[in-house]
Amino acid sequence: MNKRKVQTMVGMALFAAIVVVLQIIGNYIRIGNFSISLVLVPIIVGAALYGPAGGAFLGGVFGIVVIIDCITVGNVLWIANPVATAIVCMLKGIAAGFVSGVLYKSLFKKNHYLGAYVSAIACPLVNTGIFCAALLLIFKDTLSELAGGTNIFYYTFVVMIGINFLIELAVNIVFAPAVVSVLKMARSGKR
């Protein structure tokens, strides 16, 4: 095994561990009933450093941790439909990491910072977008019960997603490009 493969494996293992730890910690950082996903930052950075496949892998790790959390906490969606919940958790994580990697890779040569910012915006958009689509398409009955008579679109986009999503987006826009830049400089030997 060559040195580059070993470095990639070690880097991916390190990022996977960070994803697990941040997802667990993120469960305790709440706005109302919803936790904030700090975990998207290492997924974005991993996608920038290791490409779309690396981002998809880290997104998959994120999905597995979310599934475990759903099982252990007794999440409403897990109780309603465990198979669909597992598929949604994996799909949104993997897609967010993959899309982030594709966008970074395609924009990196034009402008490193543009690639980092676009990836930092796309990752939470894809993650939250797939989650919202699943709520409205697969879990509509459960969502109606949770909304308690409120319009389900309003409940989904304002009550459930609103502030939570904006904070996640802001965290990603601030931290992911900075971390990507520092890591890129460190890899190239610049100080």
Side-chain angles (χ1 to χ4, degrees):
M1 196 177 295
N2 69 25
K3 183 179 177 181
R4 184 160 172 86
K5 283 185 180 181
V6 171
Q7 287 176 332
T8 299
M9 286 174 39
V10 169
M12 290 297 291
L14 179 63
F15 276 103
I18 293 169
V19 165
V20 171
V21 169
L22 284 179
Q23 181 58 31
I24 292 169
I25 290 171
N27 287 334
Y28 299 103
I29 301 172
R30 296 192 167 275
I31 293 180
N33 294 327
F34 306 101
S35 61
I36 296 175
S37 291
L38 301 173
V39 72
L40 297 179
V41 172
I43 293 172
I44 295 162
V45 175
L49 293 175
Y50 302 110
F57 171 77
L58 294 171
V61 171
F62 166 51
I64 290 168
V65 176
V66 172
I67 291 168
I68 292 168
D69 185 50
C70 287
I71 294 168
T72 57
V73 174
N75 182 287
V76 172
L77 299 180
W78 182 263
I79 293 167
N81 188 336
V83 173
T85 301
I87 291 169
V88 169
C89 289
M90 292 303 294
L91 179 63
K92 72 186 188 74
I94 291 169
F98 182 77
V99 168
S100 186
V102 167
L103 290 171
Y104 183 82
K105 186 177 179 179
S106 66
L107 296 171
F108 169 76
K109 291 180 182 175
K110 293 178 184 170
N111 184 314
H112 163 73
Y113 294 103
L114 176 65
Y117 280 109
V118 169
S119 295
I121 292 167
C123 193
L125 280 173
V126 170
N127 182 56
T128 303
I130 290 173
F131 179 69
C132 288
L135 282 176
L136 295 168
L137 297 173
I138 300 169
F139 298 102
K140 192 173 183 177
D141 293 338
T142 304
L143 186 60
S144 293
E145 287 177 35
L146 290 172
T150 307
N151 179 289
I152 63 170
F153 290 100
Y154 173 83
Y155 184 78
T156 302
F157 293 104
V158 176
V159 176
M160 290 184 75
I161 308 300
I163 303 255
N164 187 20
F165 171 74
L166 294 174
I167 291 171
E168 285 179 12
L169 184 63
V171 165
N172 286 316
I173 289 171
V174 170
F175 289 112
V179 174
V180 168
S181 295
V182 169
L183 289 174
K184 286 288 185 184
M185 286 187 339
R187 281 178 118 188
S188 67
K190 297 177 187 174
R191 292 199 160 75

